[in-house]
Amino acid sequence: MRVLLVEDDPHTAGFIAKGLREDGHSVDHAGNGKDGLFLATTESYDAVVLDRMLPGLDGLTLLQTLRGAGNRTPVLLLTALGEVDHRVEGLRAGADDYLVKPFAYAELSARLDSILRRGNAGGSEPTRLRVADLELDLLSREARRGDKRIELQPREFRLLEYLMRQAERVVTRTMLLEAVWDYHFDPQTNVIDVHISRLRQKIDQGYPRPLLHTVRGAGYRLGV
């Protein structure tokens, strides 16, 4: 899942971003409303975590601008204002859910999952990815090949999810660095090779038909 976090408090932003990344999500952060609006309207996100009180452009105005432009990305609104009137105001502005500070990260994560499930109820986005007998459940974050459950680390899950979304297509190292590691430069390391090797052992070892293929001089392909 790719998440936009719009939060001006460095401590809170760091706390949320760390938790999301440990859960295997990709996170872009904006420290003010104007930067948040720019990212939300120029990039594609699965969800937005939006602080209500922001410098430059407040969260409610940002949210109303997005909804007015037809942007339906699920939004979880954060605020220190916990009165009923404030919650109603945020929901009427277009928020999908509302979380009052201070909060536990586990609750934030659960609420994000909930608004994504509601958004997926119409079937616009799959909650399971399948390639041959390999299946990835995006809600429970479980991977299986046939009857066997595959234990994946968060980064491995992100890597496999990306490869499955691009099934039967060749993905380059640059594409993987940007989509899975949030790198927009080549770090000159073997990080991709190491993770591909580990992932291949987990999803292909012991099966007669490999699914993860190396395309020499081009990249990798997941498929039959």
Side-chain angles (χ1 to χ4, degrees), residues 23-155:
D23 281 346
H25 305 308
S26 172
V27 182
D28 288 345
H29 173 237
N32 60 72
K34 289 184 178 179
D35 289 346
L37 181 61
F38 175 78
L39 287 173
T41 53
T42 58
E43 300 286 342
S44 177
Y45 295 97
D46 298 295
V48 178
V49 178
L50 175 64
D51 187 29
R52 177 169 174 153
M53 306 297 290
L54 293 167
L57 183 72
D58 69 89
L60 283 186
T61 302
L62 190 161
L63 180 55
Q64 290 167 339
T65 302
L66 285 181
R67 296 307 189 226
N71 187 311
R72 309 312 303 170
T73 303
V75 173
L76 176 60
L77 194 64
L78 306 179
T79 184
L81 306 173
E83 289 79 5
V84 172
D85 288 347
H86 291 133
R87 295 200 299 273
V88 170
E89 188 179 20
L91 294 170
R92 285 180 173 169
D96 295 88
D97 203 350
Y98 204 96
L99 188 57
V100 178
K101 298 177 180 178
F103 53 84
Y105 174 76
E107 183 178 5
L108 181 144
S109 179
R111 287 180 180 271
L112 272 181
D113 287 344
S114 176
I115 63 176
L116 285 168
R117 283 196 297 271
R118 294 202 299 267
N120 288 332
S124 58
E125 276 288 321
T127 59
R128 292 175 183 265
L129 301 176
R130 180 183 288 275
V131 176
D133 58 346
L134 177 65
E135 185 177 277
L136 196 66
D137 189 317
L138 303 179
L139 296 181
S140 67
R141 303 188 68 77
E142 290 185 355
R144 289 184 177 275
R145 184 160 184 189
D147 296 330
K148 180 183 176 183
R149 180 175 177 176
I150 302 168
E151 297 292 339
L152 297 175
Q153 295 299 315
R155 188 75 67 179

Side-chain angles (χ1 to χ4, degrees), residues 14 24-25 43 103 123 134 184 193 199 204 206 215:
H25 305 308
E43 300 286 342
F103 53 84
L134 177 65
H184 299 282
D193 304 292
L199 186 60
D204 280 345
V215 182

